[in-house]
Amino acid sequence: MKKSILFLSLAVLFVACQPKSQEPEGPVAPLKQMPAVEDVVMYQVNPRVFAPENSLRAVADRIDSISALGVNMMWVMPIYPIGIEKGKNSPYCISDYKAIAPEFGTLDDFKHLVRVCHEHGMGLILDWVANHTAWDHPWVKEHPDWYTHDAETDTIIHPRPWDWLDVADLNYDNKEMRAAMIDAMKYWIADVGIDGFRCDVADGVPADFWKEAIDTLRQAAGDRQILMLAEGKNVDNFTVGGFDMNYAWDFKDQMLKVFDEGASAASLYDVDKAEYDSLPAGKVKLRFTTNHDESTKLTPPVQFKSLRGSMAAYVATTFLHGGALIYGSQEVAHPEPINFFQYVPVDWSANPQIYKEYQRLIGIYNKNPEIRRGKVIPFMYNEVLAVERKLNNDSLLVLVNLRDSAVKIPAPEFWLNKETVDLSSNLSFALRDSVELAPFAYYILK
């Protein structure tokens, strides 16, 4: 009897000491409140900077730090199985639209990430690649008519005019392929519980397909709101397709001209006006200083002359007309380019002062709706972006020196002798005849 009790006790102890397996993730509760499109602050996740494997769990483990930046929407780059035939290990080369690559984790790992995002008041959108598939996607053999063929050889081609030889171009004249694509997108909305998509090469896919897809997805979401971001700049992303946001490429290009070619800071207003004049009401341009594509070439401190230059560019880009994005690694000023075709480790403890600066800036952005919704009143200076954002009786003046030398500008007339507080430093002062700004300095005056 004693031996039996001892054996049973040891057995219980052995079982208790075994590592517990993760419980399967059940249905994901919806986000309690989706941000309005104008209020979206996006955080882009490249899983390959978080961990060499099981990176979806690694992202979830950093959710407190990400959320504390003040962001309210996470965009996760493609996590689907990656094609091998002709492949380059690009996450945009997809061999299965309804699965997750083992490199990143499992479906339960992804559901866990969606869940913790929602618990932190953050939506999650997933990168979607509708323009092309991997060469070893089952559709290539099962439905070759779903792809574009060379007129002379009748063989499937890669997307033109690009040199993307690792992927096969889809044929949007084929209605069956369109239906299969929409069905795959619907799975992630209805069955997994994500909050929308960032759509890759949106301008390379017919706008009438996007309308069909987005109408179906919004219906599948039921009472939930979803966010649709187009990697494109065509106005039919909005007028036909039904997207909420698209890319501000022209603004980014002009910002580089200000830094690299000495273009006037005032030229940014012309580009801003041109981008927004074509937009329907309530639609937003996503503004950025870097993202996964930009970061493969140069990091923001290199693109914009210095670390201080990169922060000046970020304030000018984000506070002129909203549409905020932070690319994961930007908040710690990662010093080297990041090739998203492979794992690149990031030191998340680096440059804590830069993390705090982004946190402070996004906090100002979130607390002052005139930045996101107010009237844009520009002031014309060559070296300094100066813009007033006015909403009802609230006004905010943003001054950003975009030069690597000190400048002095006349104070805007309306603000002369007004008592102000600089929200970025919490210092109070009155604007007199002129304002001096150190190299790449900025003020956000209330």
Side-chain angles (χ1 to χ4, degrees), residues 107-420:
L107 180 59
D108 277 345
D109 293 328
F110 182 65
K111 285 184 176 180
H112 174 70
L113 177 57
V114 179
R115 177 174 286 106
V116 298
C117 281
H118 287 182
E119 289 171 353
H120 284 74
M122 192 186 312
L124 185 147
I125 64 173
L126 191 53
D127 224 318
W128 193 260
V129 187
N131 183 71
H132 48 262
T133 74
W135 288 99
D136 45 7
H137 192 291
W139 290 356
V140 172
K141 289 185 177 180
E142 295 171 4
H143 305 284
D145 56 320
W146 290 10
Y147 292 84
T148 309
H149 287 243
D150 182 88
E152 295 182 2
T153 64
D154 197 32
T155 55
I156 297 173
I157 63 172
H158 70 272
R160 308 293 168 80
W162 304 288
D163 62 348
W164 303 340
L165 303 180
D166 58 331
V167 290
D169 191 59
L170 286 164
N171 173 20
Y172 273 84
D173 290 334
N174 190 295
K175 293 183 179 180
E176 291 182 352
M177 186 278 292
R178 286 182 173 223
M181 183 68 71
I182 293 172
D183 176 71
M185 297 179 79
K186 184 179 174 182
Y187 162 75
W188 295 97
I189 296 286
D191 294 1
V192 179
I194 68 169
D195 303 294
F197 291 101
R198 177 266 186 189
C199 296
D200 188 63
V201 200
D203 291 346
V205 174
D208 67 320
F209 165 77
W210 290 125
K211 174 174 173 48
E212 183 183 359
I214 292 172
D215 286 350
T216 302
L217 296 177
R218 295 198 193 282
Q219 185 176 10
D223 295 335
R224 295 189 295 128
Q225 298 293 314
I226 62 171
L227 179 73
M228 298 298 296
L229 164 63
E231 188 207 17
K233 67 176 187 178
N234 291 345
V235 69
D236 64 11
N237 295 155
F238 303 114
T239 56
V240 179
F243 282 98
D244 302 299
M245 306 176 76
N246 74 357
Y247 270 43
W249 270 313
D250 292 344
F251 190 88
K252 171 63 164 52
D253 291 344
Q254 189 61 34
M255 182 67 74
L256 287 176
K257 290 179 181 178
V258 172
F259 275 80
D260 295 340
E261 302 173 15
S264 171
S267 67
L268 293 166
Y269 307 131
D270 294 333
V271 179
D272 174 69
K273 187 175 186 301
E275 287 189 334
Y276 269 90
D277 276 354
S278 65
L279 260 62
K283 306 298 183 178
V284 173
K285 283 282 185 180
L286 182 68
R287 294 256 162 95
F288 52 89
T289 54
T290 191
N291 55 35
H292 66 287
D293 285 318
E294 298 290 331
S295 193
T296 60
K297 298 172 285 188
L298 295 170
T299 59
V302 177
Q303 273 198 321
F304 299 105
K305 306 298 185 184
S306 68
L307 185 52
R308 293 319 311 159
S310 71
M311 297 309 301
Y314 186 81
V315 175
T317 296
T318 304
F319 282 68
L320 172 56
H321 215 142
L325 172 72
I326 295 178
Y327 176 53
S329 71
Q330 182 174 354
E331 72 268 36
V332 293
H334 184 73
E336 302 293 335
I338 293 175
N339 182 346
F340 63 87
F341 286 57
Q342 62 192 35
Y343 168 62
V344 177
V346 166
D347 180 2
W348 298 105
S349 64
N351 299 306
Q353 77 283 3
I354 296 299
Y355 174 92
K356 291 179 181 178
E357 188 170 2
Y358 277 112
Q359 186 181 48
R360 184 166 62 251
L361 289 170
I362 295 302
I364 296 169
Y365 183 89
N366 287 335
K367 290 175 184 176
N368 295 276
E370 58 268 40
I371 299 170
R372 309 183 305 281
R373 301 167 184 271
K375 183 180 180 181
V376 177
I377 305 171
F379 302 95
M380 302 301 174
Y381 302 112
N382 186 53
E383 300 88 2
V384 175
L385 181 135
V387 61
E388 181 180 348
R389 301 301 310 273
K390 185 175 179 62
L391 182 65
N392 301 323
N393 294 322
D394 291 318
S395 290
L396 187 144
L397 179 65
V398 180
L399 303 174
V400 189
N401 182 5
L402 297 177
R403 306 296 190 215
D404 194 12
S405 56
V407 297
K408 181 185 288 188
I409 61 170
E413 184 176 353
F414 173 78
W415 290 77
L416 276 174
N417 300 316
K418 296 286 177 69
E419 293 296 327
T420 68

